[in-house]
Amino acid sequence: MKRRSWMLISLLLVLVMVLSACGQKATPTKAPAPTKAPAAATKAPAPTKAPAAATKAPAPTKAPAPTKKPAAKPAAAGESTVAKILKRGKIVAGVKYDFPPFGFVDKSGKNVGFDIDLMHEFAKRWLGDPNAVELVQVTSKTRIPMLADGKVDLVAASMTHTKPRDDTIDFSITYFMDGQMILVKKGSGIKDVKDLDGKVVTAIQGSTSIDNIKHEAEKLGIKIQILPLQEYPQGIQALKDGRADALTTDSSMLYWYAQQNPELEVVGKRFSIEPYGMGVPKGDSYFRDLVNFTLQDIKMDGTYDKIYHKWFGANAEPWNLDIWPGKNPGIQKIGKDFNPPAESTVDKILKRGKIVAGVKYDFPPFGFVDKSGKNVGFDIDLMHEFAKRWLGDPNAVDLVQVTSKTRIPMLADGKVDLVAASMTHTKPRDDTIDFSITYFMDGQMILVKKGSGIKDVKDLDGKVVTAIQGSTSIDNIKHEAEKLGIKIQILPLQEYPQGIQALKDGRADALTTDSSMLYWYAQQNPELEVVGKRFSIEPYGMGVPRYDAKFRDLVNFTLQDIKMDGTYDKIYHKWFGASAEPWNLDIWPGKSYIKLGK
């Protein structure tokens, strides 16, 4: 990844409660883990003290209504929001007017904030003009209906990505992480949520804050009364005039209001995680891709960090967004279709009573054939777990052999329901299929004969390197060789056992692919060794059909459930060793909106 270089990213929200929200025949015994198992980018950047930027702009008092209504209409089948924006020549973005520092009205009456700056950056990159964006006022209550009704193209409004919300809209990758706390009057005697027993707590209708504080109160065994209000200034006033004993929302905003109102203070610990995503229309794959690719570009070129420091202070640590390899084609070249399926793959699987999964047969430890002739591996175990949870039977899955070359065409042609085949999520691949969240992270290295004198990629000048057709490995090694100024010859092959044989018989000087597989082969072949450093990032995603938002949600929710209940870590340690550190998958609060038949 999403996410990143090979930096291990610490988790600042660790105390926050998660809401209820291949022919090579080797017996899998001691699958070697990568030399460093990457940790997930789950660090929470919310400041521990009021953001420095808060002194530069006052909290909003009155949110002006938008000057005109947007002309946007719901996207029709056959036309993505991408096409609508290009025809119109501007973006219609739903933003907050009362939620500093994300979107609020400054002293001059101008709508400003973190989300606002991102929308201007989108307009600049998509349409060549940072002002080619119409900022439409939304609230926590109206933002999802306005997006679902086509009144805005997207929503950038400090919105937590939750599973229930996925029923109506789709989300971008997480672009900010926060957590909920409480704001009280100084001297109130309230130091944490446990002190709110019998008290009145105000929160905003349509936000996740009400459910979160109710859940926390129930967990602590206390009784609270909720005062729901429409806007945050009303909540601040209710706190000041004594109608409420506490205001609760995400910490970044509470610290802002505390700085604007010296008689108020933020107390206690965060009791939720709030992964913010931009809302996009349901099933509009190309537009969601464009939003994600643009966020990633903004992160990679330093613009995101610059905007982040502007609003959260120079010492705040910016969020590390997911990063997928490849280039952003841009708004002019990205696909403009929108063709949701008449029937979701979810319903097809339920009718059939079986999953049809594309998996590898030659890529240990993800999918391979063991000595008994059985298809086993990390991806295989996950597919059996999916079948168990979806259909009540771990064996209700057909494992269809795919290769790096055939896996995407077979999914696109409907020959398999999904692909779990150690597949790197890249931007070019998003042109044909959709992907789940990242469920494994790896990086590319090289395998050579011991005693060859080759210690790293730089030693491959003039050498023959074998890699598998259809994988990202060929482009990656070519790019690395070009960067190092060396010349290599590529020997493309169909399967990994062929590559191992080419290495052994001298037709190739090195085999290159992801490190987890190379370490496996080195263990099975003592005359071979893995050398050098990783020179790529390989975020693995499960391939799912394009436009099928319901099925993509189900796959993501199931992966998250498997992670949260400990099953993922158990499977991970089985294949990569007890000391390997499992990948920390994205976790979205809430329960799945999808009800399976079994």
Side-chain angles (χ1 to χ4, degrees):
M1 272 309 86
K2 10 156 137 207
R3 274 169 67 174
R4 305 144 176 116
S5 61
W6 291 106
M7 299 169 57
L8 291 174
I9 303 171
S10 61
L11 176 66
L12 299 182
L13 280 179
V14 123
L15 296 178
V16 179
M17 296 295 299
V18 174
L19 291 177
S20 64
C22 337
Q24 174 71 15
K25 300 188 176 158
T27 305
T29 52
K30 297 181 181 176
T35 52
K36 271 192 181 180
T42 49
K43 54 185 168 187
T48 54
K49 57 181 180 180
T55 57
K56 298 180 181 178
T61 53
K62 191 175 181 182
T67 53
K68 54 184 177 179
K69 296 181 180 179
K73 296 180 180 179
E79 183 182 62
S80 170
T81 308
V82 175
K84 291 169 56 183
I85 290 172
L86 286 173
K87 286 179 184 178
R88 191 193 306 124
K90 70 176 177 180
I91 306 164
V92 181
V95 298
K96 289 281 190 74
Y97 276 49
D98 69 340
F99 199 97
F102 291 90
F104 66 104
V105 181
D106 68 11
K107 282 181 177 179
S108 69
K110 185 179 179 182
N111 199 192
V112 298
F114 179 71
D115 284 333
I116 311 303
D117 282 357
L118 288 176
M119 289 301 93
H120 285 300
E121 192 63 32
F122 275 31
K124 176 183 174 182
R125 294 176 189 238
W126 292 356
L127 301 168
D129 178 3
N131 295 313
V133 55
E134 183 175 338
L135 302 172
V136 177
Q137 182 180 2
V138 298
T139 66
S140 296
K141 190 175 182 180
T142 65
R143 56 193 172 187
I144 290 177
M146 289 181 71
L147 176 61
D149 291 344
K151 295 177 181 177
V152 294
D153 297 324
L154 76 165
V155 170
S158 56
M159 181 163 55
T160 301
H161 184 173
T162 70
K163 295 183 180 78
R165 286 172 175 168
D166 270 314
D167 186 22
T168 309
I169 63 172
D170 278 348
F171 283 86
S172 72
I173 55 174
T174 298
Y175 73 101
F176 188 89
M177 183 67 78
D178 206 345
Q180 193 168 328
M181 297 179 74
I182 56 173
L183 182 71
V184 300
K185 278 185 179 179
K186 287 181 178 176
S188 67
I190 299 170
K191 299 300 180 185
D192 209 337
V193 177
K194 62 181 174 58
D195 300 320
L196 293 176
D197 195 22
K199 307 290 187 182
V200 176
V201 181
T202 186
I204 303 304
Q205 290 179 330
S207 70
T208 56
S209 301
I210 293 177
D211 287 342
N212 289 349
I213 191 68
K214 284 181 177 178
H215 175 75
E216 186 69 8
E218 183 180 352
K219 188 179 74 174
L220 293 170
I222 63 172
K223 300 290 185 181
I224 59 171
Q225 180 183 338
I226 299 295
L227 174 64
L229 294 173
Q230 293 291 325
E231 296 179 349
Y232 288 96
Q234 296 173 352
I236 293 295
Q237 189 57 48
L239 187 56
K240 288 182 175 181
D241 64 25
R243 286 179 294 130
D245 299 289
L247 166 66
T248 187
T249 189
D250 298 345
S251 68
S252 54
M253 185 178 189
L254 294 183
Y255 280 115
W256 180 286
Y257 274 126
Q259 194 171 55
Q260 304 302 318
N261 300 272
E263 70 272 34
L264 305 179
E265 64 179 344
V266 183
V267 297
K269 299 176 181 178
R270 295 180 183 86
F271 54 89
S272 74
I273 55 169
E274 307 294 332
Y276 289 1
M278 292 185 180
V280 295
K282 189 78 172 169
D284 194 342
S285 294
Y286 281 119
F287 185 55
R288 190 183 73 256
D289 288 344
L290 180 63
V291 171
N292 285 334
F293 297 168
T294 305
L295 283 168
Q296 291 172 345
D297 286 350
I298 288 171
K299 177 65 179 180
M300 287 188 293
D301 68 16
T303 305
Y304 176 92
D305 287 11
K306 183 179 179 182
I307 295 172
Y308 192 100
H309 288 138
K310 171 183 175 181
W311 293 105
F312 299 101
N315 296 324
E317 187 174 1
W319 176 248
N320 283 286
L321 286 72
D322 286 350
I323 302 295
W324 306 321
K327 292 183 179 179
N328 179 359
I331 194 169
Q332 295 291 344
K333 294 183 179 180
I334 201 168
K336 297 170 180 62
D337 296 333
F338 179 41
N339 296 305
E343 183 181 40
S344 172
T345 307
V346 177
D347 303 306
K348 291 179 182 177
I349 290 171
L350 289 175
K351 287 179 181 178
R352 189 194 305 131
K354 185 179 289 188
I355 305 167
V356 181
V359 298
K360 288 281 190 75
Y361 275 50
D362 69 340
F363 198 98
F366 291 90
F368 67 104
V369 181
D370 67 11
K371 286 181 177 179
S372 69
K374 186 179 179 182
N375 198 194
V376 297
F378 179 71
D379 284 335
I380 312 303
D381 281 358
L382 288 176
M383 289 302 93
H384 285 300
E385 191 63 31
F386 275 30
K388 176 183 175 183
R389 293 173 189 241
W390 296 354
L391 301 168
D393 178 3
N395 294 313
V397 54
D398 279 344
L399 301 172
V400 177
Q401 182 177 5
V402 298
T403 67
S404 295
K405 191 174 181 179
T406 65
R407 57 193 171 187
I408 291 177
M410 287 182 70
L411 177 61
D413 292 344
K415 294 177 181 176
V416 295
D417 298 323
L418 77 164
V419 170
S422 56
M423 181 163 55
T424 301
H425 184 174
T426 71
K427 295 183 179 79
R429 286 173 174 166
D430 270 314
D431 190 45
T432 308
I433 63 172
D434 281 350
F435 282 86
S436 72
I437 56 174
T438 297
Y439 73 101
F440 187 88
M441 179 67 77
D442 207 343
Q444 194 168 329
M445 297 179 74
I446 56 174
L447 182 71
V448 299
K449 279 186 177 179
K450 288 180 179 177
S452 67
I454 299 170
K455 298 299 181 187
D456 209 336
V457 177
K458 62 181 174 57
D459 300 320
L460 293 176
D461 196 21
K463 306 289 188 182
V464 177
V465 181
T466 187
I468 303 303
Q469 290 179 332
S471 70
T472 54
S473 301
I474 292 177
D475 287 342
N476 289 348
I477 192 68
K478 283 181 177 179
H479 176 74
E480 187 69 9
E482 182 180 352
K483 188 175 73 173
L484 294 170
I486 63 173
K487 300 290 185 181
I488 60 172
Q489 181 183 338
I490 300 295
L491 174 62
L493 293 173
Q494 293 292 325
E495 296 179 350
Y496 289 96
Q498 296 173 350
I500 294 294
Q501 190 57 47
L503 187 56
K504 287 182 175 181
D505 65 25
R507 287 179 294 130
D509 299 289
L511 167 66
T512 187
T513 189
D514 298 347
S515 67
S516 54
M517 185 179 188
L518 294 182
Y519 280 114
W520 180 283
Y521 274 126
Q523 192 176 54
Q524 306 303 317
N525 299 273
E527 70 272 33
L528 305 179
E529 65 178 344
V530 183
V531 297
K533 298 176 181 179
R534 293 182 182 86
F535 53 89
S536 74
I537 55 169
E538 306 293 333
Y540 289 1
M542 291 185 181
V544 294
R546 202 123 183 91
Y547 310 113
D548 194 345
K550 182 179 180 181
F551 184 54
R552 189 186 70 249
D553 288 343
L554 177 62
V555 171
N556 285 334
F557 298 167
T558 305
L559 284 168
Q560 292 172 342
D561 287 347
I562 288 171
K563 177 65 178 179
M564 288 189 292
D565 68 16
T567 305
Y568 176 92
D569 287 11
K570 183 179 178 181
I571 295 172
Y572 192 100
H573 289 139
K574 171 183 175 181
W575 293 104
F576 301 100
S579 61
E581 185 178 356
W583 177 248
N584 284 298
L585 286 73
D586 282 350
I587 301 295
W588 305 321
K591 294 182 180 179
S592 172
Y593 68 88
I594 303 168
K595 306 296 183 185
L596 295 186
K598 300 196 178 184

